Amino acid sequence: MTKNRDTFSIADLAAEFAVTPRAIRFYEDKGLITPARDGMRRIYSPRDRVRLMLILRGKRLGFSLKEIQEIIDLYDAEPTGEAQLRRLITTCQTSRAALRQQMDDIRVTIDEIEAVETQCRQALLEGPRSRKAVG
């Protein structure tokens, strides 16, 4: 699929980005992409293609659809991209902080699970009297 095309069908974009047409229609319903219409047929422009690429990248990075919309809309409002890049940096920092907190929470949970597992193994070795105190 060449990137220099003037238009794309929903099937073209679905195949290129390995997403379902339903996902593309969802992003359209949310106002993130706005294809032209020829009757019932959707006709996607190179702009729509780029927006879909940015949406999918934002989703992979863990951004919400609202955050993705804000970042994409900034480009339309200010084509030099400075405001968009500043917003993207802020969003990346926020996302990274949330992911680091999740990693810390997961580490604590794993430690707790390992402690309970150790207690259970010990209780099995010690016999029925110790089993009531586990947990």
Side-chain angles (χ1 to χ4, degrees), residues 24-41:
I24 296 171
R25 288 190 299 270
F26 173 79
Y27 298 133
E28 181 183 343
D29 289 344
K30 295 296 180 182
L32 295 167
I33 52 178
T34 54
R37 297 281 184 149
D38 181 13
M40 294 297 291
R41 186 171 169 258

Side-chain angles (χ1 to χ4, degrees), residues 2 8 18 24 41 75 82 97 115:
T2 61
F8 304 88
I24 296 171
R41 186 171 169 258
Y75 180 77
E82 185 176 330

Side-chain angles (χ1 to χ4, degrees), residues 58-73:
K59 292 302 292 175
R60 278 192 311 275
L61 294 173
F63 299 167
S64 70
L65 288 179
K66 181 181 178 192
E67 290 168 328
I68 292 167
Q69 177 81 55
E70 290 170 0
I71 292 166
I72 291 173
D73 287 349

Side-chain angles (χ1 to χ4, degrees), residues 100 102-112 114:
R100 286 192 172 142
Q102 287 176 347
M103 280 182 10
D104 292 343
D105 294 344
I106 289 168
R107 283 188 191 111
V108 168
T109 302
I110 288 171
D111 290 346
E112 290 174 4
E114 288 172 349

Side-chain angles (χ1 to χ4, degrees), residues 2-17:
T2 61
K3 295 178 183 178
N4 296 328
R5 292 178 45 183
D6 291 334
T7 62
F8 304 88
S9 70
I10 197 167
D12 293 335
L13 295 179
E16 180 178 357
F17 294 107

Side-chain angles (χ1 to χ4, degrees), residues 31-32 34 47 50-51 54 69-81 84:
L32 295 167
T34 54
R47 177 182 180 271
V50 169
R51 288 175 73 95
L54 293 172
Q69 177 81 55
E70 290 170 0
I71 292 166
I72 291 173
D73 287 349
L74 284 173
Y75 180 77
D76 290 338
E78 195 249 321
T80 65
Q84 182 187 36

